[in-house]
Amino acid sequence: MRDNSIKLLKSYMQKKTLLLFGIVFVAFIVRFVFLGSIAPSLTWDETAWGYNAYSLGIDGKDEFGKFLPMTYLESFGDFKPPVYAYLDVLPVKLFGLTEFATRFPSAFFGTLTVLLTFFLVKEIFGKEKEDLALIASLLLAISPWHIMLSRAAFEANVASFFIVLGVFLFLKAVREKPILLPFSVISFVLAMNTFNSARIVAPLLGVVLVVMFYKKLQKHLKISVISLVLGIVLVLPLLTFMVSPQAKLRFNEVNIFTDIGVIDRTNQEIKNDNNTVVSKVLHNRRFAYGVEYVHHYLDNLAPQFLFIKGDGNPKFSLQDVGQLYIWEIPFFVGGIILLFRKREKNWWLVPIWLVIGIVPAGFARETPHALRIESALPTFQIFTAIGLYYFTKYLIKLKNKRIGIGSLYVLGSVVLFGFIYFVQNYFYHYSHEFSGEWQYGYKESIEFVTSVQNQYKNIYITETMGRPYIYYLFYQKYDPNKFRREADIYREVFGFVHVKSYSNLHFTDQISKINQANALYLSTPGEKPENANTIKEFKLLNGHTALVAYTL
């Protein structure tokens, strides 16, 4: 009898292991297949990650010559957190300076996040909830939101992995292995040095975990103190940077509190009310900014964004599929209700995590924003998984087995259809429809320019499509040391960095005003003079012309 029980347990565990392996394999396939060509081109930020990784791998310096930057990469003057570039050094060394290598860390850590979600859910709800953990992992594996952000060099995707890892290690540490606590701290600090939003989310989550598990941490006081000191030491350089003028410039660029329109509106409302005391209280600018923040925060929970059309930026959404599947609505809502009713183990962490994960996006002018709230994943999938888990259990327990099994087949078919619809649209139609959103055309034009570069004294390239210099550095695999010697760089008072020229390449937003013989010009069709001699056109995947090479 005992032997039979052991055999059944082993068989059960083997099946669960195979299921988890299958889920991770699906996650791997949809994140890595055609990674270098879908999305159809690199954005300028992706190109900057790749070239900075290339530069760091050569001499340990970023593109502008800063040795082993620890708090930021100057890049375009947006002061990028540096971790993604360091993670990309090895892929670039192994695969060369290519689109695949540049996106490798995002796809790799995106796949690992799917695996880690399984173990995270077990830590939150208990080992007996393996089925729930498998469902949550599956939902993240096939998530349109997570797939699209894993298939481009989005540092937010890597930061999300480190946040999930940090939470998992913390829970594991307080439950049975205190030695993991310092590694949890390191993971949270890595997240903060990977993406700007994580600089708010990671410490807030850390504080919540410390408060809720304070008594357990007291039992392991020595390792807890060591972890705290380690965290302070590691985060000090970042704190120093965050109060610097550079960090303030970046924050002022994107946050709602520098929107003068709010102040103008409140002043006008006070004026309309004849400057009464009541009006000054009701229309106080601080109160107005608070209301504005709430509006921006709640934008990220709008059903249209989550379930219908997704983010308005095609880089983060197909535009006809939400960040979550539409079929997830009843299970997402039901999962929230069931979570609060059952309150199993560390259930409270999921809603708190979701609330905290959206906090940074509320400060931003552009909302909703799938990238800025990715730190909230996988809480959305966990809510849906809870609803699915209890619904499937109900169907299995139905007395009428035919209805129960039939309903499960219908549910599985709906899930599969939604996934196939997304995959088919993304891999077969998306690139043709949205190649212009990905600065498509740069690679092809650079290949042409490189082939004729020695034939012209000067080559003038439009900046209309944004940051062309970094594409030339990337696709020409230009020697970083040579670039630093040659580059004519202009730094604005607001912190933005402009590379005006290097070698015989000149980058300008005034290309139509240049009239020089023995020069090659590369511009958008609208900037080309009527009397110009067109040499070659570079088209988007939908057939529209993106760039034109011409002479005068």
Side-chain angles (χ1 to χ4, degrees):
M1 185 72 176
R2 185 172 176 272
D3 290 341
N4 287 336
S5 298
I6 293 173
K7 286 180 181 179
L8 285 171
L9 180 62
K10 285 183 177 179
S11 175
Y12 174 79
M13 294 300 292
Q14 286 173 350
K15 287 179 181 178
K16 292 296 171 70
T17 302
L18 283 173
L19 278 172
L20 180 60
F21 176 81
I23 290 168
V24 175
F25 181 72
V26 169
F28 174 83
I29 292 297
V30 294
R31 283 159 180 77
F32 273 96
V33 170
F34 304 123
L35 181 62
S37 57
I38 303 174
S41 181
L42 296 178
T43 65
W44 56 68
D45 282 321
E46 288 184 281
T47 314
W49 288 125
Y51 188 75
N52 274 279
Y54 177 69
S55 180
L56 287 166
I58 290 174
D59 59 9
K61 298 177 182 177
D62 71 2
E63 62 181 297
F64 296 121
K66 185 174 181 179
F67 183 69
L68 295 180
M70 298 305 296
T71 53
Y72 68 86
L73 300 172
E74 186 179 20
S75 192
F76 310 126
D78 52 358
F79 306 102
K80 292 176 171 64
V83 168
Y84 192 99
Y86 284 108
L87 293 174
D88 205 20
V89 169
L90 183 58
V92 168
K93 285 285 188 184
L94 291 174
F95 306 114
L97 187 52
T98 63
E99 294 91 343
F100 177 84
T102 299
R103 290 171 171 170
F104 184 91
S106 184
F108 177 74
F109 285 102
T111 304
L112 283 185
T113 306
V114 172
L115 175 63
L116 192 56
T117 295
F118 171 79
F119 297 103
L120 171 71
V121 172
K122 285 176 64 178
E123 283 300 325
I124 293 174
F125 296 103
K127 290 183 178 180
E128 65 276 11
K129 287 293 191 292
E130 275 199 343
D131 291 339
L132 173 61
L134 285 168
I135 294 171
S137 293
L138 175 63
L139 291 175
L140 190 64
I142 66 172
S143 162
W145 192 345
H146 198 252
I147 290 171
M148 290 191 73
L149 295 192
S150 295
R151 291 187 59 88
F154 292 128
E155 66 273 30
N157 196 53
V158 177
S160 293
F161 165 80
F162 285 124
I163 289 173
V164 173
L165 180 62
V167 174
F168 166 73
L169 291 174
F170 187 97
L171 295 176
K172 190 85 170 174
V174 296
R175 185 174 65 83
E176 61 176 355
K177 293 185 178 179
I179 192 63
L180 293 176
L181 204 55
F183 297 99
S184 172
V185 170
I186 291 170
S187 189
F188 280 128
V189 174
L190 283 171
M192 294 170 68
N193 282 281
T194 305
F195 187 58
N196 289 317
S197 293
R199 293 172 176 177
I200 298 174
V201 175
L204 286 178
L205 267 178
V207 169
V208 168
L209 289 170
V210 168
V211 170
M212 298 302 291
F213 290 100
Y214 181 73
K215 290 182 179 178
K216 289 189 176 181
L217 291 172
Q218 278 187 314
K219 293 178 181 178
H220 309 286
L221 191 58
K222 184 179 178 180
I223 195 71
S224 298
V225 171
I226 290 172
S227 301
L228 176 63
V229 172
L230 177 65
I232 291 171
V233 170
L234 292 177
V235 87
L236 270 178
L238 178 59
L239 291 176
T240 304
F241 167 69
M242 289 177 70
V243 297
S244 69
Q246 294 94 330
K248 290 177 182 177
L249 283 169
R250 174 61 179 162
F251 180 69
N252 290 338
E253 179 193 351
V254 299
N255 83 89
I256 59 175
F257 303 117
T258 54
D259 182 5
I260 196 70
V262 175
I263 296 175
D264 291 340
R265 186 177 72 246
T266 55
N267 288 341
Q268 185 61 49
E269 288 168 341
I270 292 170
K271 185 179 179 181
N272 293 343
D273 291 337
N274 297 317
N275 295 312
T276 63
V277 174
V278 173
S279 181
K280 288 179 179 178
V281 172
L282 290 177
H283 302 301
N284 182 283
R285 65 181 180 181
R286 294 169 185 81
F287 178 73
Y289 277 124
V291 172
E292 194 79 1
Y293 176 84
V294 171
H295 285 166
H296 282 241
Y297 183 98
L298 294 177
D299 281 346
N300 295 283
L301 294 172
Q304 182 81 357
F305 166 69
L306 290 177
F307 302 105
I308 311 299
K309 291 186 70 70
D311 196 299
N313 187 335
K315 292 186 184 74
F316 313 138
S317 164
L318 294 183
Q319 304 300 292
D320 65 348
V321 174
Q323 299 307 126
L324 308 170
Y325 293 106
I326 194 168
W327 61 260
E328 292 186 70
I329 294 175
F331 302 108
F332 179 75
V333 175
I336 294 172
I337 295 169
L338 287 166
L339 179 75
F340 280 89
R341 278 188 177 179
K342 293 183 177 295
R343 302 178 189 179
E344 296 173 298
K345 299 290 176 67
N346 300 312
W347 68 274
W348 48 266
L349 178 58
V350 183
I352 290 176
W353 188 341
L354 187 147
V355 169
I356 289 174
I358 302 174
V359 167
F363 293 106
R365 295 182 187 182
E366 296 177 14
T367 52
H369 203 292
L371 196 67
R372 292 193 179 116
I373 68 167
E374 197 194 350
S375 297
L377 300 186
T379 60
F380 288 95
Q381 287 73 29
I382 293 173
F383 279 124
T384 304
I386 292 169
L388 269 172
Y389 172 73
Y390 285 104
F391 181 68
T392 53
K393 281 186 71 174
Y394 168 76
L395 291 178
I396 291 169
K397 290 180 179 179
L398 281 176
K399 290 183 179 179
N400 191 323
K401 296 298 181 183
R402 294 180 66 181
I403 293 177
I405 293 172
S407 298
L408 283 173
Y409 275 118
V410 171
L411 176 60
S413 299
V414 170
V415 173
L416 184 61
F417 175 81
F419 178 56
I420 292 173
Y421 178 83
F422 166 76
V423 167
Q424 199 266 346
N425 271 275
Y426 181 71
F427 284 96
Y428 289 95
H429 304 295
Y430 175 80
S431 293
H432 286 81
E433 188 173 356
F434 296 112
S435 62
E437 299 289 335
W438 292 85
Q439 288 75 53
Y440 189 86
Y442 267 134
K443 181 178 182 179
E444 294 72 19
S445 67
I446 291 167
E447 288 174 352
F448 168 74
V449 168
T450 302
S451 70
V452 301
Q453 190 167 350
N454 293 332
Q455 299 175 24
Y456 296 92
K457 182 179 179 181
N458 293 302
I459 299 174
Y460 294 94
I461 301 147
T462 183
E463 289 186 313
T464 301
M465 281 176 58
R467 315 293 184 183
Y469 88 89
I470 196 68
Y471 286 92
Y472 279 81
L473 292 175
F474 184 97
Y475 285 113
Q476 291 186 335
K477 298 178 176 60
Y478 208 80
D479 179 16
N481 284 305
K482 190 177 179 184
F483 166 69
R484 294 169 199 141
R485 291 195 304 268
E486 297 174 346
D488 180 8
I489 301 169
Y490 168 64
R491 289 175 171 84
E492 290 183 13
V493 67
F494 297 110
F496 295 109
V497 177
H498 300 273
V499 174
K500 298 169 70 175
S501 68
Y502 71 89
S503 183
N504 64 338
L505 304 174
H506 304 267
F507 310 98
T508 176
D509 58 359
Q510 302 289 325
I511 196 168
S512 60
K513 295 181 180 180
I514 300 170
N515 186 3
Q516 187 180 111
N518 192 31
L520 179 68
Y521 298 83
L522 195 77
S523 76
T524 58
E527 295 172 302
K528 188 190 75 169
E530 291 183 3
N531 63 339
N533 302 311
T534 300
I535 298 176
K536 193 173 179 65
E537 292 186 348
F538 307 94
K539 297 183 181 295
L540 301 174
L541 292 174
N542 61 9
H544 295 162
T545 301
L547 291 166
V548 181
Y550 63 88
T551 58
L552 296 176

